[in-house]
């Protein structure tokens, strides 16, 4: 894929956001029925139904999850122009009917957020992003930051070559925890309020981060804290920072340790795991 293609691919969602943001009144002026809804969404799940139909689940730009019934979508690709695929980002129009599920009237593809490298590893990471997004999003619960997280996560996955994927996953996981509101502020000490950039610990799950002045022998050194703070504020830049060091650099090992070791226990009790693992 050329650089230009890639850039326009990444820019497309932002551009679209400006053009489709309409007030409810303008919907009606445009001749759309009151029981119809039009929105930008990312296709996160497709469930076959009977012989020819599909149930489409989309994470909307508003951050909620919408399930819609796509009649005949599996039989004729003409109706949705073959665009109903996982990772497709587009404009959906759904209409409420008498049945429980609204029906999908149209889907206009804007761009495709599947990784351009279709390696098994890339597909695993990208699919896990869709899975997490569909489990964290709920019908009628608006959380636009979740949509932004999914877009960023798929972009990071797309940009990372195989050797960087594990670091992309680290950034994806950390930013999801931040999006869900289960990480404390990592940049300030919960006791004295000073910066944690000199090093910090996270003694207990229900405690804030504690700087190395308040609690010597910090779990995380200053370099690690800088990476974590950057990752959470600017995921792309954070990934570059993680990757900027040479292979085998202790910093990477440290960040890996942090996530897979020390962070696991405190996080376990903070993350609403039941919400993430319960079957819907
Ligand atoms: Zn302190």
């Amino acid at each position: 894929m050329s650089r230009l293609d890639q850039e326009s691919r990444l820019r497309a969602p932002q551009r679209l956001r400006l053009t489709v943001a309409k007030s409810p009144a303008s919907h009606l002026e445009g001749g759309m029925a009151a029981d119809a809804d039009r929105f930008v969404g990312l296709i996160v799940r497709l469930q076959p139904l009977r012989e020819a139909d599909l149930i489409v689940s989309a994470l909307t730009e508003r951050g909620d999850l919408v399930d819609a019934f796509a009649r005949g979508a599996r039989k004729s690709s003409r109706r949705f122009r073959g665009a109903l695929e996982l990772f497709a980002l587009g404009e959906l129009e759904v209409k409420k009917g008498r049945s429980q599920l609204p029906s999908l009237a149209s889907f206009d593809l804007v761009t495709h957020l599947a990784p351009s490298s279709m390696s098994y590893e890339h597909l695993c990471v990208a699919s896990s992003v869709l899975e997490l997004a569909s489990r964290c999003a709920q019908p009628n619960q608006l959380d636009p930051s979740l949509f932004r997280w999914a877009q960023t996560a798929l972009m990071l996955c797309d940009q990372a070559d195989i050797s960087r994927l594990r670091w992309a996953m680290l950034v994806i996981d950390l930013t999801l925890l931040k999006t869900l509101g289960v990480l404390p502020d990592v940049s300030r000490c919960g006791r004295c309020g000073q910066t944690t950039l000199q090093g910090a610990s996270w003694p207990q799950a229900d405690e804030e981060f504690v700087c190395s002045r308040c609690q010597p022998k910090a779990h995380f050194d200053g370099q690690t804290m800088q990476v974590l703070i950057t990752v959470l504020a600017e995921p792309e830049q954070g990934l570059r920072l993680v990757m900027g060091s040479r292979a085998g650099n202790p910093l990477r090992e440290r960040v890996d340790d942090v996530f897979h070791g020390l962070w696991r226990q405190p996080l376990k009790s903070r993350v609403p795991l039941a919400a993430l693992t319960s079957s819907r």
Side-chain angles (χ1 to χ4, degrees), residues 214-250:
C214 293
Q215 183 173 311
K217 290 189 186 168
H219 287 154
F220 315 131
D221 61 21
Q223 256 188 327
T224 306
M225 288 309 298
Q226 193 189 346
V227 167
L228 293 177
I229 291 167
T230 309
V231 160
L232 294 175
E234 297 283 341
E236 274 184 90
Q237 196 189 332
L239 181 58
R240 277 196 297 273
L241 198 60
V242 176
M243 290 304 305
S245 41
R246 281 175 293 117
N249 185 312

Side-chain angles (χ1 to χ4, degrees), residues 36-79:
D37 191 10
R38 213 173 158 81
F39 51 84
V40 173
L42 170 68
I43 307 292
V44 294
R45 195 164 48 203
L46 294 170
Q47 291 171 266
L49 185 72
R50 295 191 289 266
E51 258 184 32
D53 309 326
L54 271 180
I55 296 178
V56 178
S57 301
L59 174 68
T60 79
E61 200 176 28
R62 306 173 296 223
D64 59 339
L65 191 72
V66 170
D67 293 332
F69 174 66
R71 185 181 296 281
R74 298 172 69 206
K75 208 164 194 174
S76 159
S77 59
R78 252 180 308 161
R79 175 132 189 247

Side-chain angles (χ1 to χ4, degrees), residues 151-160 165 168 171-172 235-236 239:
Q151 269 188 309
T152 304
L154 290 173
M155 185 188 67
L156 291 174
C157 173
D158 182 49
Q159 289 175 346
L165 262 184
V171 174
I172 288 168
E236 274 184 90
L239 181 58

